[in-house]
Amino acid sequence: MQLLIRGGTVVTHEESFRADVLCVDGRIAALGTDLGVPGGTEVVDAGGLLVMPGGIDPHTHMELPFMGTVASEDFYSGTAAGLAGGTTSIIDFVIPNPQQSLLEAFGAWRGWAEKSAADYGFHVAITWWSEQVREEMGVLVREHGINSFKHFMAYKNAIMAADDTLVASFERCLELGAMPTVHAENGELVDHLQRKLLAQGLTGPEAHPLSRPAQVEGEAASRAISIAGTLGVPLYLVHVSTADAVEQIRLARRQGQPVYGEVLPGHLLLDDSVYRHPDWQVAAGHVMSPPFRPAQHQQALWQGLQSGDLQTTATDHCCFCAEQKAAGRDDFSKIPNGTAGIEERMAVLWDEGVNSGRLSMHEFVAITSSNTAKLFNLFPRKGAVRVGADADLVLWDPEGTRLISARTHHQNVDFNIFEGKTVRGIPRHTISQGRLVWCDGDLRAERGAGRYLPRPAWPAVYQQLSQRAAHNRAEPVLR
Ligand code: DUC
Ligand code: ZN
Ligand code: ZN
């Protein structure tokens, strides 16, 4: 199967140049000007378009069983919507129940994901600790291509990892060369504040952000960073949403600690006034954790991306329809947490990031694709436009516009947090494995075409990083 992308401007995280791109059997086979057209080659006209690596969303929850229900978006509909938005790979989360075997849960998620239309990998959550968990982490790394483990510091009495679990698991990640990642919110404080607010009669969505103030994230970020720094293991913080957490990351990085942060478009654009919307359904539609924040946090998040203290963007795509959100009608703490975004992430970031002058187009590629590929060991198979890389590409129209609405999006959910926003800068065509899967508004996603992406760990690199931590920690000897 051959596809020639003709007449576009290739844009990567580090350079841009005019070139045609020849895709053969799912890979990039040649880059150059005026490439010949072998017989049987499909040709796409990329005149006026930017040819960029397809987006990688490192944080999705397709068909997640969560808070008494199951996310409405499954692996097929979610990855298809991603393709319509220029995202060609996801990293989803296997979340075992406490006491459940990690391998058993991994098997279940692998089965559900077989219907994916785009390539996918997994982080595996550590929701409890035992010798069996320790062993199975090793099996996942060595035999199944898992190189990252997630820890929820919130969701007490459900999937929360307390400090003893964090310490044991981070140490095991160091041994294995796997990246520990955290959802940084102090679960004890959230639980306490939820009970207190409910006792005061505050039962609506307006109480959701009050139960999870910025300090709750700042404290957890600081604690996770301290634990990782003490052990000498790198750390990745998912959905960083506050100036408090950005500051903790910045301080650690200034001391040479390998700490990385991810940010969501929703946290960059929306503020906590959404939870005071007079329509309960609209307010509840925005309930996710961490919540949208007072507006002053947004500048810190943008500056985090600009300075390189935050490296990636994701969506935490986790969809619940109105009837599912209604489970929390009388108690905000029971509203299933989650919002969509896989289809809008790239266009919203281009519109608000590049068009506004906050980000260059190279930084856009870095934060939507290449940095994630590097951090999770998919680069240069993904996140690159070079010979030999997977032909996962987005042909970006910087002048195209789109009005975002739940009425027209492809996501399997009846709500959109960016409802009514018009973006300038859209994916005109998306190419996955060398196949045109989104062609100027025509979605040609194929059920089951997505492949599992094994991601090797880096034990040797992690040993070097832990030596660096020990070196930086060493006290000067007093004479
Ligand atoms: N936050 C959400 O909003 N949904 C899924 C899990 C999470 O941490
Ligand atoms: Zn989370
Ligand atoms: Zn999440």
Side-chain angles (χ1 to χ4, degrees):
M1 194 173 57
Q2 304 206 146
L3 181 77
L4 181 69
I5 303 161
R6 191 152 61 185
T9 300
V10 172
V11 179
T12 73
H13 66 289
E14 56 192 2
E15 59 183 340
S16 49
F17 51 93
R18 294 296 296 268
D20 299 342
V21 183
L22 180 66
C23 311
V24 178
D25 295 335
R27 300 249 173 113
I28 297 176
L31 289 165
T33 44
D34 301 321
L35 293 180
V37 187
T41 304
E42 189 180 358
V43 179
V44 193
D45 177 10
L49 305 180
L50 308 176
V51 181
M52 303 192 287
I56 307 172
D57 188 339
H59 189 156
T60 66
H61 298 286
M62 306 303 175
E63 55 192 284
L64 175 70
F66 190 55
M67 294 182 75
T69 183
V70 177
S72 58
E73 186 89 282
D74 71 20
F75 276 92
Y76 171 65
S77 60
T79 50
L83 293 173
T87 287
T88 49
S89 304
I90 61 168
I91 311 180
D92 204 274
F93 291 83
V94 173
I95 307 184
N97 291 317
Q99 311 305 320
Q100 187 186 13
S101 149
L102 271 52
L103 293 172
E104 181 186 273
F106 179 73
W109 258 266
R110 285 291 304 266
W112 299 336
E114 276 176 11
K115 53 181 144 350
S116 293
D119 289 353
Y120 55 93
F122 289 110
H123 315 276
V124 176
I126 302 302
T127 55
W128 62 296
W129 192 254
S130 71
E131 188 51 34
Q132 181 191 341
V133 170
R134 195 181 168 282
E135 277 300 309
E136 291 189 344
M137 287 172 76
V139 177
L140 286 166
V141 168
R142 286 189 298 269
E143 297 177 21
H144 298 283
I146 294 295
N147 72 9
S148 49
F149 292 94
K150 165 84 173 279
H151 307 79
F152 289 91
M153 298 173 77
Y155 302 112
K156 185 178 172 182
N157 299 326
I159 53 178
M160 182 171 102
D163 283 4
D164 53 351
T165 297
L166 296 181
V167 171
S169 178
F170 284 19
E171 183 70 50
R172 181 64 168 147
C173 285
L174 176 59
E175 267 171 34
L176 294 168
M179 178 81 86
T181 80
V182 287
H183 167 134
E185 287 188 299
N186 182 316
E188 294 292 344
L189 275 172
V190 172
D191 182 64
H192 174 77
L193 292 173
Q194 283 179 333
R195 287 169 196 273
K196 193 165 161 177
L197 289 158
L198 288 168
Q200 289 167 354
L202 281 163
T203 58
E206 71 281 3
H208 176 65
L210 304 178
S211 70
R212 314 177 95 100
Q215 299 97 310
V216 161
E217 180 175 288
E219 185 282 328
S222 161
R223 183 159 34 104
I225 289 170
S226 297
I227 293 171
T230 305
L231 299 177
V233 66
L235 180 68
Y236 178 93
L237 290 92
V238 306
H239 52 45
V240 173
S241 69
T242 58
D244 312 48
V246 176
E247 181 61 7
Q248 295 301 324
I249 294 171
R250 194 182 69 81
L251 287 172
R253 289 176 61 84
R254 273 219 330 225
Q255 291 167 11
Q257 194 179 332
V259 177
Y260 309 97
E262 164 195 287
V263 64
L264 315 184
H267 288 127
L268 288 164
L269 265 68
L270 305 181
D271 65 58
D272 60 351
S273 63
V274 294
Y275 299 115
R276 297 186 288 278
H277 195 284
D279 182 340
W280 188 92
Q281 211 54 259
V282 173
H286 289 89
V287 167
M288 69 154 305
S289 294
F292 302 119
R293 300 296 188 179
Q296 68 266 22
H297 291 278
Q298 291 166 8
Q299 194 186 357
L301 300 178
W302 283 112
Q303 287 173 347
L305 286 173
Q306 290 162 344
S307 64
D309 287 328
L310 302 177
Q311 297 77 23
T312 66
T313 58
T315 59
D316 205 355
H317 187 83
C318 188
C319 298
F320 299 106
C321 292
E323 65 188 45
Q324 295 175 289
K325 293 272 181 182
R329 241 314 151 189
D330 303 320
D331 175 348
F332 72 90
S333 70
K334 295 196 167 62
I335 301 170
N337 283 204
T339 54
I342 194 168
E343 191 169 351
E344 291 88 30
R345 177 181 67 124
M346 296 187 71
V348 164
L349 285 166
W350 183 277
D351 187 60
E352 292 280 340
V354 181
N355 290 346
S356 70
R358 289 180 174 114
L359 301 172
S360 74
M361 60 184 178
H362 302 293
E363 288 167 330
F364 172 82
V365 173
I367 64 160
T368 56
S369 183
S370 312
N371 287 352
T372 290
K374 290 180 190 176
L375 281 167
F376 294 108
N377 213 0
L378 289 168
F379 192 85
R381 176 178 177 188
K382 305 289 187 188
V385 184
R386 57 168 84 162
V387 172
D390 281 0
D392 279 9
L393 300 161
V394 58
L395 308 195
W396 198 259
D397 181 354
E399 297 307 325
T401 59
R402 177 185 160 214
L403 171 64
I404 298 175
S405 173
R407 283 186 294 282
T408 49
H409 70 200
H410 298 81
Q411 301 164 133
N412 188 31
V413 64
D414 53 9
F415 191 77
N416 194 308
I417 58 171
F418 303 113
E419 184 73 36
K421 181 174 177 57
T422 297
V423 284
R424 182 164 56 85
I426 56 167
R428 181 65 61 199
H429 307 297
T430 306
I431 290 153
S432 168
Q433 299 177 43
R435 225 169 51 79
L436 206 49
V437 287
W438 168 249
C439 189
D440 206 6
D442 177 18
L443 184 55
R444 304 175 184 172
E446 192 185 310
R447 196 180 178 86
R451 301 162 301 183
Y452 175 64
L453 296 172
R455 299 176 296 115
W458 303 264
V461 175
Y462 276 41
Q463 285 314 313
Q464 288 163 356
L465 287 172
S466 85
Q467 281 167 11
R468 180 214 285 188
H471 181 78
N472 286 354
R473 251 196 330 261
E475 302 285 341
V477 179
L478 296 177
R479 290 173 191 273

